[in-house]
Amino acid sequence: MHIEFTDEQEQFRKVVRDFAETAIAPHAEAWDRDHTFPVEVVREMGELGLFGLPFPEEYEGGGADLTTLCIAIEEIARVDQSMAITLEAGVGLGASPIFRFGTEEQRQRWLPDLCAGRALGGFGLTEPEAGSDAGGTRTRAVLDDATGELVVNGEKAFITNSGTPLTSLVTVTARTDTPGSEGPPEISAVVIPSGTPGFAVAPPYRKMGWHASDTRGLSFADVRVPADHILGERGRGFANFLAILDEGRIAIAALAVGVIQACLDESVAYAKERQAFGRAIGSYQATAFRCADLAVMAETARLLTYQAAWLRDTGQPYTHAAAMAKLHATEAAVTATRHATQVFGGYGFMDETLVSRHYRDAKILEIGEGTSEVQRLVISRGLGLPLER
């Protein structure tokens, strides 16, 4: 399959690349070092229209497709993964569930600010005891018949964009079945606005990477929200979120493509410049072959990613393709950062280098929005294998 972008998409790529190289790249190392979430730059990303790309214009969106969003994420990821995941999560986890499953009233209430980048939303699925086993959710939302409100109690862990100055809401999965009832748990999605009494946001985690991205734990102690804050059909919260993850996996793959491309670009440039034994290190096969491998990784990851995006944009089944793209691109990104760090040698071990930051940041790509093991499970089931459930 030949991937060909439209002229409009290529022009858009240039705009985003220019923004990334002028507004993000010069400051990314300092943000990483100081663990700074750059609020003003995120607002500028909103003004550029990035957070509203795949949503209709009536909600202040851009009316674009997933492919165009992936282009933006790829270009930003080349210079900084933290800002790329801020965009990816803001669109895929913050705004998409409301657009996909919300009522028109909910869309009108929350989407315009999310699309314009005036606000950010998070999605709380993972809990301290429920990660890939998200069906093990313990957070509960119980209807108080006297007030008509939902009362939410529980905890969430590792939630992106959940405690920034721009965060306006978090959508959480919660059990809405009767305690003690038999059968599979009934899990619904509930929108909880920031600042709601009883909703506590923990301090940012100390992380190996993504230092400029906001990631926190959340807790809910008798949090009360109106019953109309249930998002989508009651009992469909977990299933709906899995559908959201299919799109998110393609976007994470695009982020990984940007990382691999950066590793290739940085390694080739350094291999031409760095001298050893009187010659550029790129003249030695050990280095040249690493660069060749990086080129193959970038090409294969890009093809799988944009094929999956094309399937989604053209209304074809894409769950299997999304899992393949996410699995291959993220694992290739981890390998690519290791190769690039080796090319740079001692300099690659220094935190101020881009390849060092990408090396630390990349590991989470194999974990977030579905681990590599989960992707292999999805792919295996797509092959018709009789796996246990």
Side-chain angles (χ1 to χ4, degrees), residues 48-231:
L48 196 60
L50 302 186
F51 286 99
L53 275 172
F55 305 113
E57 294 179 5
E58 63 191 283
Y59 306 115
E60 297 195 33
D65 54 16
L66 181 62
T67 296
T68 303
L69 174 64
C70 286
I71 289 171
I73 293 171
E74 177 190 342
E75 289 301 323
I76 291 176
R78 285 177 62 251
V79 301
D80 185 34
Q81 290 187 50
S82 287
M83 288 300 93
I85 193 60
T86 297
L87 172 61
E88 190 279 332
V91 174
L93 303 180
S96 285
I98 294 171
F99 175 68
R100 288 276 300 276
F101 307 112
T103 64
E104 184 58 27
E105 191 278 331
Q106 288 171 329
R107 291 177 178 179
Q108 293 290 348
R109 186 191 314 181
W110 291 311
L111 269 184
D113 282 344
L114 295 174
C115 288
R118 294 187 294 267
L120 290 175
F123 199 107
L125 175 72
T126 304
E127 299 187 358
E129 302 299 326
S132 295
D133 178 23
T137 298
R138 295 291 176 266
T139 297
R140 280 198 172 275
V142 178
L143 182 64
D144 183 341
D145 292 326
T147 64
E149 295 174 315
L150 292 168
V151 183
V152 182
N153 286 279
E155 294 180 81
K156 297 295 178 179
F158 313 131
I159 310 305
T160 304
N161 291 345
S162 58
T164 79
L166 298 175
T167 302
S168 65
L169 60 87
V170 176
T171 303
V172 302
T173 50
R175 296 184 63 158
T176 49
D177 52 338
T178 303
S181 60
E182 298 181 358
E186 178 187 271
I187 299 178
S188 304
V190 181
V191 177
I192 302 180
S194 299
T196 303
F199 175 18
V201 180
Y205 290 106
R206 294 179 58 206
K207 298 175 293 187
M208 180 169 70
W210 284 6
H211 291 162
S213 165
D214 178 79
T215 316
R216 302 172 189 248
L218 310 175
S219 63
F220 312 96
D222 290 332
V223 172
R224 290 178 172 268
V225 296
D228 66 3
H229 279 42
I230 285 185
L231 187 66

Side-chain angles (χ1 to χ4, degrees), residues 319-344:
T319 296
H320 189 78
M324 292 178 67
K326 206 271 185 182
L327 174 66
H328 176 73
T330 58
E331 292 197 343
V334 172
T335 301
T337 61
R338 180 165 49 83
H339 280 345
T341 301
Q342 192 71 19
V343 169
F344 273 70

